[in-house]
């Protein structure tokens, strides 16, 4: 554990590699249901959710479609859609 870099350093490195092309499904936020709790942002394992104007916004350049955000959303405000449809 002591050899691991701090998260802020690794976050910077993660943004160099756009991994969105790996995705077969993509999260879509239903803002009518979203309560802006940012749990999706907290649990996203990639730098794929930005907070813009007080709302979570999916950055599809980095989203791998892991579904973590949809699974953790307490209001079921994130739906997974098949990529390309």
């Amino acid at each position: 554990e002591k050899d691991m870099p701090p998260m802020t350093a690794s976050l910077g490195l993660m943004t160099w590699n756009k991994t969105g092309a790996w995705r077969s499904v993509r999260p879509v936020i239903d803002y009518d249901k979203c309560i802006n709790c940012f749990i999706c942002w907290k649990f996203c394992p990639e730098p794929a959710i930005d907070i813009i104007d007080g709302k979570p916004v999916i950055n599809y350049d980095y989203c791998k479609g892991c579904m973590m955000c949809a699974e953790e959303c307490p209001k079921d405000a994130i739906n997974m859609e098949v990529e390309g449809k």
Side-chain angles (χ1 to χ4, degrees), residues 1-57:
E1 288 182 31
K2 70 178 186 162
D3 295 328
M4 293 179 68
M7 182 58 187
T8 54
S10 61
L11 180 62
L13 296 174
M14 290 167 60
T15 60
W16 293 347
N17 188 20
K18 294 184 177 180
T19 55
W22 301 4
R23 183 177 63 243
S24 60
V25 293
R26 63 187 162 118
V28 177
I29 299 172
D30 180 344
Y31 290 105
D32 290 333
K33 292 182 180 178
C34 179
I35 59 170
N36 300 322
C37 65
F38 308 120
I39 290 175
C40 56
W41 174 82
K42 186 179 199 180
F43 279 91
C44 181
E46 300 297 327
I49 299 178
D50 299 317
I51 306 301
I52 300 174
D53 295 328
K55 294 183 180 261
V57 177

